[in-house]
Amino acid sequence: AWSRALGLLLPPLDVADLGCGEGHLTLEAARWARHVTAIDRSRDVLARGRALAKRRKLTNITWKRGDLDRLPIADRSVDVALLSQALHHAEHPDRALAEAQRILKPGGRVLLLDLREHPEAWVRSKLGDKWLGFSEDRLRALLAGAGFSRPVVRVGARRAGDPFTVLIAVGTKA
């Protein structure tokens, strides 16, 4: 409910959901965005996302197959680039963020939700993670290195006893 409510405060925006998976965030963004482009490398998860969007009668989404480091999106074409739990799957996080920078319009923003650095190595084999999360400093440096100004990184969610903490990071394209 909060994401829908906060989305209503925004002007109509063009959004890219990078590493969208089955598209749950894509569908939420589509409720307030002018248009959402959803990118994932898996045909299967894109098909499930398309089917879910059809059932919910959302028609402002384009689903595309692609990699985070070679996005099938035109330069300077979106206002917001979302990467939710996607960056730790990227072989080269710096390239993924450079691609986000490329597709954003001037003044556009990147919004990341990803894991804080953790010791749970089993996620590599079970979930295909390339990185065991990122420290706050590393995320800030990755954003700055990709050319984002005013990078901000904060803890988004943490539960006692849970080895996974979610970080939220934002940056603006100059």
Side-chain angles (χ1 to χ4, degrees):
W2 271 108
S3 68
R4 291 180 190 176
L6 292 173
L8 294 175
L9 297 175
L10 300 172
L13 298 170
D14 295 313
V15 175
D17 185 2
L18 309 176
C20 66
E22 294 180 357
H24 298 289
L25 183 59
T26 303
L27 301 180
E28 286 304 317
R31 294 181 185 282
W32 51 262
R34 178 178 25 241
H35 185 266
V36 180
T37 303
I39 306 294
D40 203 277
R41 63 181 171 211
S42 169
R43 289 183 207 281
D44 293 338
V45 298
L46 288 171
R48 288 194 292 273
R50 271 190 200 95
L52 188 55
K54 186 175 180 178
R55 283 195 303 275
R56 294 192 182 167
K57 297 179 174 47
L58 294 168
T59 59
N60 60 334
I61 303 169
T62 301
W63 302 88
K64 292 184 177 184
R65 189 162 180 253
D67 290 316
L68 292 178
D69 60 357
R70 284 185 316 277
L71 296 171
I73 299 176
D75 294 359
R76 299 178 178 198
S77 61
V78 299
D79 301 294
V80 176
L82 304 173
L83 289 103
S84 180
Q85 303 300 330
L87 197 62
H88 64 263
H89 290 285
E91 189 76 40
H92 302 283
D94 55 335
R95 290 186 201 165
L97 290 175
E99 278 291 278
Q101 171 76 249
R102 178 186 65 76
I103 67 171
L104 284 169
K105 297 173 185 174
R109 302 195 55 163
V110 64
L111 173 61
L112 299 170
L113 283 81
D114 218 297
L115 299 177
R116 180 190 267 169
E117 216 167 21
H118 60 82
E120 303 296 316
W122 60 268
V123 298
R124 290 184 193 272
S125 60
K126 281 264 197 207
L127 303 175
D129 293 15
K130 304 287 186 204
W131 300 90
L132 299 180
F134 303 93
S135 70
E136 288 93 325
D137 288 341
R138 176 80 171 121
L139 268 184
R140 204 172 290 108
L142 283 166
L143 286 166
F148 289 101
S149 63
R150 301 187 306 267
V152 175
V153 180
R154 296 195 176 129
V155 171
R158 173 181 15 197
R159 278 189 252 164
D162 188 339
F164 302 108
T165 297
V166 176
L167 297 176
I168 299 172
V170 296
T172 304
K173 180 174 182 168

